[in-house]
Amino acid sequence: MKIETIAIHAGNHTDASSKAVVQPIVMSTTFERDEDGGFSSGYSYSRAANPNRTSLENVLAKLEGGAEAAAFSSGNAAGMSVFQSLAPGTHIICPDDMYHGLRNQLKMLFEGILEFDFIDVNNSDVLTEHIKPNTGVIWIETPSNPLLKITDIKKVVSVARQHHIKVVCDNTFATPLCQQPLALGADMVMHSSTKYFGGHSDLMGGALITTEKSDWWEKIRNVQTMGGAVPSPMDCYYLVRSIKTLPYRVRGHVSNAQLLAQFLESHPRVESVMYPGLSSHPQHAIARAQMSGFGAMLSFTLKGGEDEAKKVVNAIRVFARATSLGGVESLMEHRATVEGPDTKTPFNLLRVSVGLEHIDDLIADLEQAMAK
Ligand SMILES: *Cc1c(COP(=O)(O)O)cnc(C)c1O
């Protein structure tokens, strides 16, 4: 089936007793045992599994073309479960511009437990140089945050395979509508469901999707069940509901982003625009080869430095001045401020999550903000 049909049906089933077309929310934390002590329903206690979580995991697995998915209480919880599943002393290779929340998690919570390097994973020589006998995982994130750099997934996978290393891809920015890393050879996909899957900036969630049900996957499942970083039945319900419109939302987000990027590129006050859908993007060719859409995140820098950037972000009206991404409302932020003192982000850079408002209104808002 096509992805629009999967999005609507794979996370839902008609309730057997009430015949409700939309699957009800099961709030019960506990489930009755059979007389012989078994659990024929498959459910015993909600930290292990819940019917709404099962439905969410079904649709997530199908959207990414994986064997199974695990739904978490946040994207960071999903990432943390991967790290916690690795044997102590395992070496992880991460991109030098890894999502700062996960980079900080590794640095602050896994120092002395795991080994990690933050490098330019897209440079095969640099990547190969950093592989050690204890390297277990190469972590990639493409497009990256906030510079929208593209990592060639197939290229990283081919290096990883030679050394029997697993590849995990953070696919949050792209969504499965624009990019399917498992089909390109990655072993696992990670998502912050807080972003496009939720789509309305009103819930937190995370996900992992695996190509195969391996021993490693079982370990991750155990980390989840024992660690308890599970989403509530309500959050699972809202995610399943939002995912039904994901394909159409993403199409709208992407088409607005392309037009906004083109507008910005032609504006005299703009120094540079980072968007993989522009032919000026240094890795546009790789993006075209591995993506079926270029996503809806973009960054741009202003001539005149930090003050000019801050003036623009303070003059916008339709965009909200806020972090995060993937919601229907457009957001803009001065990224260096968000990332804090050790940021490598240019101080004249603004990051934009392009929403679903009419493109004319978004362009008009930026036009008035940059006229000031
Ligand atoms: C937001 C985000 C995360 C973290 O997800 P949370 O749901 O905030 O925990 C990880 N990776 C990327 C690319 C993100 O944008």
Short mmCIF file of all heavy atoms in Angstrom, two decimals, residues 48 67-70 72 81 84-86 188 208 210 212-227:
data_model
loop_
_atom_site.label_atom_id
_atom_site.label_comp_id
_atom_site.label_asym_id
_atom_site.label_seq_id
_atom_site.Cartn_x
_atom_site.Cartn_y
_atom_site.Cartn_z
N ALA A 48 5.10 -2.29 30.02
CA ALA A 48 5.57 -3.25 29.01
C ALA A 48 4.89 -3.02 27.67
O ALA A 48 5.54 -3.01 26.62
CB ALA A 48 5.34 -4.66 29.50
N ALA A 67 11.02 -3.65 10.47
CA ALA A 67 10.41 -4.87 10.99
C ALA A 67 9.58 -4.56 12.23
O ALA A 67 8.54 -5.18 12.46
CB ALA A 67 11.49 -5.88 11.34
N GLU A 68 10.05 -3.63 13.05
CA GLU A 68 9.35 -3.30 14.29
C GLU A 68 9.74 -1.90 14.74
O GLU A 68 10.84 -1.43 14.40
CB GLU A 68 9.72 -4.32 15.38
CG GLU A 68 8.66 -4.47 16.45
CD GLU A 68 8.94 -5.67 17.36
OE1 GLU A 68 8.74 -6.82 16.91
OE2 GLU A 68 9.33 -5.44 18.52
N ALA A 69 8.86 -1.27 15.51
CA ALA A 69 9.17 0.06 16.07
C ALA A 69 8.95 0.03 17.57
O ALA A 69 8.18 -0.79 18.08
CB ALA A 69 8.27 1.12 15.44
N ALA A 70 9.64 0.91 18.28
CA ALA A 70 9.41 1.13 19.71
C ALA A 70 9.11 2.61 19.90
O ALA A 70 9.87 3.45 19.42
CB ALA A 70 10.63 0.71 20.52
N PHE A 72 8.66 5.90 22.32
CA PHE A 72 9.22 6.41 23.58
C PHE A 72 8.53 7.70 24.01
O PHE A 72 7.79 8.31 23.23
CB PHE A 72 10.72 6.66 23.42
CG PHE A 72 11.53 5.41 23.24
CD1 PHE A 72 11.65 4.82 21.99
CD2 PHE A 72 12.15 4.80 24.32
CE1 PHE A 72 12.39 3.65 21.83
CE2 PHE A 72 12.88 3.64 24.17
CZ PHE A 72 13.01 3.05 22.91
N SER A 81 18.02 5.19 24.92
CA SER A 81 17.84 3.73 24.97
C SER A 81 18.83 3.03 24.05
O SER A 81 19.29 1.93 24.36
CB SER A 81 16.41 3.36 24.59
OG SER A 81 15.55 3.91 25.53
N GLN A 84 22.08 3.17 26.00
CA GLN A 84 22.05 2.27 27.16
C GLN A 84 22.09 0.80 26.77
O GLN A 84 22.40 -0.06 27.58
CB GLN A 84 20.80 2.55 28.02
CG GLN A 84 20.90 3.86 28.78
CD GLN A 84 19.65 4.14 29.60
OE1 GLN A 84 18.54 3.83 29.18
NE2 GLN A 84 19.83 4.73 30.77
N SER A 85 21.75 0.51 25.50
CA SER A 85 21.73 -0.89 25.06
C SER A 85 23.13 -1.39 24.70
O SER A 85 23.32 -2.58 24.46
CB SER A 85 20.82 -1.04 23.84
OG SER A 85 21.44 -0.47 22.69
N LEU A 86 24.09 -0.47 24.62
CA LEU A 86 25.44 -0.85 24.18
C LEU A 86 26.28 -1.31 25.38
O LEU A 86 26.14 -0.78 26.49
CB LEU A 86 26.12 0.33 23.49
CG LEU A 86 25.36 0.90 22.28
CD1 LEU A 86 26.02 2.18 21.78
CD2 LEU A 86 25.27 -0.13 21.15
N MET A 188 18.94 1.18 11.82
CA MET A 188 17.90 1.69 12.71
C MET A 188 17.64 3.16 12.41
O MET A 188 18.55 3.89 12.02
CB MET A 188 18.34 1.51 14.16
CG MET A 188 17.20 1.46 15.14
SD MET A 188 17.79 1.10 16.82
CE MET A 188 18.22 -0.63 16.67
N LEU A 208 12.07 4.52 17.73
CA LEU A 208 13.13 3.78 17.05
C LEU A 208 12.45 2.78 16.14
O LEU A 208 11.44 2.18 16.52
CB LEU A 208 14.01 3.04 18.06
CG LEU A 208 14.82 3.88 19.04
CD1 LEU A 208 15.51 2.96 20.05
CD2 LEU A 208 15.85 4.74 18.30
N THR A 210 13.53 -0.54 13.61
CA THR A 210 14.63 -1.44 13.27
C THR A 210 14.37 -2.20 11.97
O THR A 210 13.22 -2.49 11.66
CB THR A 210 14.87 -2.45 14.42
OG1 THR A 210 15.97 -3.29 14.08
CG2 THR A 210 13.66 -3.34 14.67
N GLU A 212 15.56 -5.26 11.60
CA GLU A 212 15.36 -6.67 11.97
C GLU A 212 15.24 -6.82 13.47
O GLU A 212 15.76 -6.03 14.24
CB GLU A 212 16.52 -7.52 11.45
CG GLU A 212 17.89 -6.98 11.86
CD GLU A 212 18.99 -8.02 11.79
OE1 GLU A 212 18.73 -9.17 11.43
OE2 GLU A 212 20.13 -7.66 12.14
N LYS A 213 14.52 -7.88 13.87
CA LYS A 213 14.35 -8.15 15.30
C LYS A 213 15.54 -8.95 15.80
O LYS A 213 15.49 -10.17 15.93
CB LYS A 213 13.06 -8.93 15.52
CG LYS A 213 11.81 -8.13 15.19
CD LYS A 213 10.60 -8.84 15.73
CE LYS A 213 9.39 -8.61 14.86
NZ LYS A 213 8.25 -9.44 15.28
N SER A 214 16.64 -8.26 16.07
CA SER A 214 17.90 -8.88 16.46
C SER A 214 18.00 -8.95 17.98
O SER A 214 17.13 -8.45 18.70
CB SER A 214 19.03 -8.02 15.94
OG SER A 214 18.86 -6.70 16.44
N ASP A 215 19.09 -9.53 18.47
CA ASP A 215 19.36 -9.53 19.92
C ASP A 215 19.51 -8.10 20.43
O ASP A 215 19.10 -7.75 21.53
CB ASP A 215 20.67 -10.28 20.23
CG ASP A 215 20.50 -11.77 20.00
OD1 ASP A 215 19.34 -12.22 19.83
OD2 ASP A 215 21.52 -12.48 19.98
N TRP A 216 20.14 -7.27 19.59
CA TRP A 216 20.31 -5.85 19.95
C TRP A 216 18.95 -5.19 20.16
O TRP A 216 18.74 -4.44 21.12
CB TRP A 216 21.12 -5.14 18.84
CG TRP A 216 21.43 -3.70 19.13
CD1 TRP A 216 21.69 -3.15 20.36
CD2 TRP A 216 21.54 -2.64 18.18
NE1 TRP A 216 21.94 -1.80 20.22
CE2 TRP A 216 21.85 -1.46 18.90
CE3 TRP A 216 21.39 -2.56 16.78
CZ2 TRP A 216 22.02 -0.23 18.26
CZ3 TRP A 216 21.57 -1.34 16.15
CH2 TRP A 216 21.89 -0.19 16.89
N TRP A 217 18.00 -5.49 19.26
CA TRP A 217 16.66 -4.91 19.37
C TRP A 217 15.99 -5.37 20.67
O TRP A 217 15.33 -4.58 21.36
CB TRP A 217 15.82 -5.29 18.15
CG TRP A 217 14.44 -4.70 18.19
CD1 TRP A 217 13.27 -5.36 18.37
CD2 TRP A 217 14.09 -3.31 18.05
NE1 TRP A 217 12.21 -4.47 18.36
CE2 TRP A 217 12.69 -3.22 18.17
CE3 TRP A 217 14.84 -2.14 17.84
CZ2 TRP A 217 12.01 -2.00 18.07
CZ3 TRP A 217 14.15 -0.93 17.76
CH2 TRP A 217 12.76 -0.86 17.87
N GLU A 218 16.16 -6.66 21.01
CA GLU A 218 15.59 -7.18 22.26
C GLU A 218 16.15 -6.41 23.46
O GLU A 218 15.44 -6.09 24.40
CB GLU A 218 15.89 -8.67 22.42
CG GLU A 218 14.94 -9.56 21.63
CD GLU A 218 13.48 -9.20 21.85
OE1 GLU A 218 13.04 -9.15 23.02
OE2 GLU A 218 12.77 -8.91 20.86
N LYS A 219 17.45 -6.13 23.38
CA LYS A 219 18.11 -5.38 24.46
C LYS A 219 17.47 -3.98 24.60
O LYS A 219 17.19 -3.51 25.71
CB LYS A 219 19.60 -5.28 24.15
CG LYS A 219 20.47 -4.63 25.20
CD LYS A 219 20.90 -5.60 26.29
CE LYS A 219 21.49 -4.88 27.50
NZ LYS A 219 22.86 -4.39 27.28
N ILE A 220 17.24 -3.34 23.46
CA ILE A 220 16.61 -2.01 23.47
C ILE A 220 15.21 -2.08 24.06
O ILE A 220 14.80 -1.24 24.87
CB ILE A 220 16.61 -1.40 22.05
CG1 ILE A 220 18.04 -1.02 21.65
CG2 ILE A 220 15.68 -0.19 21.96
CD1 ILE A 220 18.21 -0.54 20.23
N ARG A 221 14.47 -3.12 23.68
CA ARG A 221 13.13 -3.33 24.24
C ARG A 221 13.19 -3.48 25.77
O ARG A 221 12.34 -2.95 26.50
CB ARG A 221 12.49 -4.59 23.64
CG ARG A 221 11.89 -4.35 22.27
CD ARG A 221 10.63 -3.54 22.43
NE ARG A 221 9.78 -3.60 21.25
CZ ARG A 221 8.76 -2.77 21.06
NH1 ARG A 221 8.48 -1.84 21.96
NH2 ARG A 221 8.03 -2.85 19.99
N ASN A 222 14.21 -4.21 26.24
CA ASN A 222 14.38 -4.38 27.69
C ASN A 222 14.71 -3.07 28.37
O ASN A 222 14.20 -2.78 29.45
CB ASN A 222 15.47 -5.41 27.98
CG ASN A 222 14.99 -6.82 27.76
OD1 ASN A 222 13.79 -7.08 27.80
ND2 ASN A 222 15.91 -7.73 27.52
N VAL A 223 15.59 -2.29 27.74
CA VAL A 223 15.94 -0.97 28.29
C VAL A 223 14.66 -0.15 28.43
O VAL A 223 14.41 0.49 29.45
CB VAL A 223 16.96 -0.24 27.40
CG1 VAL A 223 17.08 1.23 27.81
CG2 VAL A 223 18.32 -0.92 27.46
N GLN A 224 13.83 -0.22 27.41
CA GLN A 224 12.59 0.57 27.44
C GLN A 224 11.65 0.10 28.54
O GLN A 224 11.15 0.90 29.33
CB GLN A 224 11.89 0.47 26.08
CG GLN A 224 10.60 1.27 26.07
CD GLN A 224 9.85 1.16 24.78
OE1 GLN A 224 9.78 0.07 24.20
NE2 GLN A 224 9.28 2.26 24.33
N THR A 225 11.41 -1.21 28.60
CA THR A 225 10.46 -1.74 29.58
C THR A 225 10.96 -1.53 31.00
O THR A 225 10.20 -1.14 31.89
CB THR A 225 10.22 -3.24 29.33
OG1 THR A 225 9.82 -3.40 27.97
CG2 THR A 225 9.15 -3.79 30.23
N MET A 226 12.25 -1.77 31.20
CA MET A 226 12.79 -1.66 32.56
C MET A 226 13.05 -0.20 32.95
O MET A 226 12.85 0.18 34.10
CB MET A 226 14.07 -2.48 32.70
CG MET A 226 13.78 -3.95 32.54
SD MET A 226 15.30 -4.90 32.55
CE MET A 226 14.64 -6.49 32.02
N GLY A 227 13.49 0.60 31.96
CA GLY A 227 13.76 2.01 32.24
C GLY A 227 12.49 2.84 32.33
O GLY A 227 12.43 3.82 33.06
#
